[in-house]
Amino acid sequence: MSGFVPGLELSRAFYADVVAPLAADVAHSAALIGPGSEVQAFDTERSADHDWGPRVLLFVRPEAVAEVEARVTAGLPASFGGYPTVFAQRGLLRHGVRVEELGGWLSGRLGFDPRGRITTLDWLSASWQALAEVTGGEVFHDGLGELHAVRQALRWYPDDVWRYVLACQWRRIGAEESFPGRCAEVGDELGSAALAAGLVRQVMRLALLQRKRYPPYAKWLGSALARLSGAAELGRALSGALQARSYHHREQALCEAYQRLAAVHNRIALTMPLDPAVRGFHSRPFQVIGGDRFAACLLESIRDPDIGALAPTGSVDQLCDNVDVLTVPARARALTLAALTPAQAAA
């Protein structure tokens, strides 16, 4: 039997037994949130080979950061739970207790401080991974009285922003759903399979968005989908699309997946019910769901005129999949802002 202890469990005990006594007389909040597979409970024994160990984020008032950092550094034991308390993190050896001021940490992760008003630009420029990191994990102690409120505020999009993001995700599907058939028609099976794989990814992300889950980055996307109740049938359809050796079987599998998304769309009832059946693509012999009709209906259901007037480009994850943009909030914000008018950005 493996002796692996999930990182969240390890860090919870680390805070209670070691870190809390060191900061007992200082107002603080403590959590395991932010980057790291253990925050989303995706870690395994393999995760322990880098950037992994007993970790706690300790939030204190700005004037207390230096004192608490010195106290923690001096007071940590060499190991905890069989794991060293100093381990490699992003290529550097350091202990696993980060002492931070909450506002600065939040701004660094998201590009804004959610303790104030959260604008439409804030919502759309924050990557899904960053939102999942801030709202995932666990708060061990909230002595500052702010962390629980921040996480609740970011738990999910406001209703109109959700409708807008869903619409943009349906448009991602609508833009390419006929392409695998066209590629196969001219003998390009490789191109057909590659396009189908891209559509599988978009379907997975839409399925999570429909269920109010921020899609994680690529490594954990399938794991996140598998955790959704009732997603096994969708997963089998998507696997069938990826494993298909011919366009005929590929199309059948994709259409099954599309129809399951359409059924969920009708079940969550953000719009009037739409026909969940697939149909031909104009006069061509390709079966599609017609993603644009779901997008149009969602956009029409938006009540806020500023959000309804946005170009259907979506959140930063729908604009770009470049890691060096998505992981740098200033770049993500600039890219998102470029798709909005100044008036809309302030909404």
Side-chain angles (χ1 to χ4, degrees):
M1 291 289 291
S2 169
F4 176 73
V5 178
L8 189 55
E9 180 181 336
L10 178 68
S11 294
R12 185 188 305 120
F14 182 52
Y15 170 72
D17 296 350
V18 176
V19 180
L22 293 173
D25 60 343
V26 178
H28 70 275
S29 296
L32 183 64
I33 58 177
S37 56
E38 65 269 45
V39 172
Q40 306 299 322
F42 290 132
D43 56 327
T44 66
E45 192 166 4
R46 177 71 66 196
S47 306
D49 65 0
H50 73 288
D51 294 346
W52 192 97
R55 296 197 299 121
V56 172
L57 260 171
L58 203 59
F59 297 110
V60 299
R61 304 294 184 199
E63 64 273 13
V65 170
E67 176 194 346
V68 173
E69 169 67 32
R71 189 187 302 184
V72 167
T73 299
L76 287 180
S79 65
F80 179 81
Y83 295 93
T85 58
V86 174
F87 51 93
Q89 298 178 67
R90 300 186 182 278
L92 301 174
L93 282 175
R94 55 190 180 193
H95 64 70
V97 182
R98 295 283 302 275
V99 183
E100 301 272 359
E101 186 271 321
L102 180 59
W105 185 85
L106 289 167
S107 295
R109 299 305 306 167
L110 300 167
F112 64 94
D113 187 341
R115 295 177 300 176
R117 175 174 172 264
I118 306 174
T119 68
T120 299
L121 175 61
D122 293 336
W123 280 114
L124 296 179
S125 63
S127 73
W128 291 331
Q129 179 65 29
L131 289 165
E133 289 174 353
V134 175
T135 56
E138 185 177 320
V139 175
F140 307 135
H141 176 68
D142 192 16
L144 298 180
E146 296 181 301
L147 195 50
H148 282 308
V150 162
R151 284 158 56 85
Q152 186 58 39
L154 295 171
R155 188 65 60 187
W156 193 244
Y157 292 122
D159 187 72
D160 278 343
V161 177
W162 182 30
R163 292 166 190 259
Y164 171 75
V165 170
L166 285 173
C168 294
Q169 193 61 24
W170 274 112
R171 282 180 65 89
R172 292 295 302 268
I173 292 170
E176 296 188 347
E177 58 184 328
S178 69
F179 290 179
R182 182 63 175 137
C183 286
E185 189 177 56
V186 298
D188 181 8
E189 273 296 312
L190 177 60
S192 177
L195 280 159
L199 285 162
V200 165
R201 178 170 177 254
Q202 300 305 338
V203 165
M204 294 168 73
R205 297 168 98 184
L206 178 53
L208 288 160
L209 291 168
Q210 287 180 322
R211 303 285 283 276
K212 296 188 176 183
R213 302 288 191 276
Y214 295 119
Y217 76 118
K219 181 167 61 172
W220 303 120
L221 185 58
S223 297
L225 182 71
R227 289 180 179 178
L228 292 181
S229 62
E233 295 86 354
L234 176 63
R236 284 194 289 270
L238 295 176
S239 294
L242 293 174
Q243 295 164 9
R245 308 303 295 177
S246 70
Y247 173 66
H248 173 70
H249 292 104
R250 192 174 299 129
E251 180 184 69
Q252 282 185 325
L254 283 172
C255 285
E256 180 184 343
Y258 297 151
Q259 290 177 104
R260 291 189 178 280
L261 291 181
V264 174
H265 172 89
N266 288 338
R267 191 159 61 245
I268 60 180
L270 295 177
T271 75
M272 64 181 184
L274 296 176
D275 182 359
V278 295
R279 68 267 334 271
F281 181 72
H282 302 293
S283 61
R284 297 183 179 185
F286 315 133
Q287 292 293 295
V288 298
I289 193 67
D292 283 345
R293 62 194 178 96
F294 290 86
C297 205
L298 282 160
L299 291 172
E300 289 170 4
S301 75
I302 294 172
R303 298 176 182 86
D304 185 324
D306 289 324
I307 296 175
L310 295 176
T313 48
S315 74
V316 67
D317 289 274
Q318 295 166 313
L319 288 164
C320 171
D321 63 2
N322 189 307
V323 173
D324 291 318
V325 172
L326 296 176
T327 57
V328 181
R331 294 174 185 163
R333 196 171 183 88
L335 177 62
T336 308
L337 184 59
L340 307 175
T341 69
Q344 291 165 339

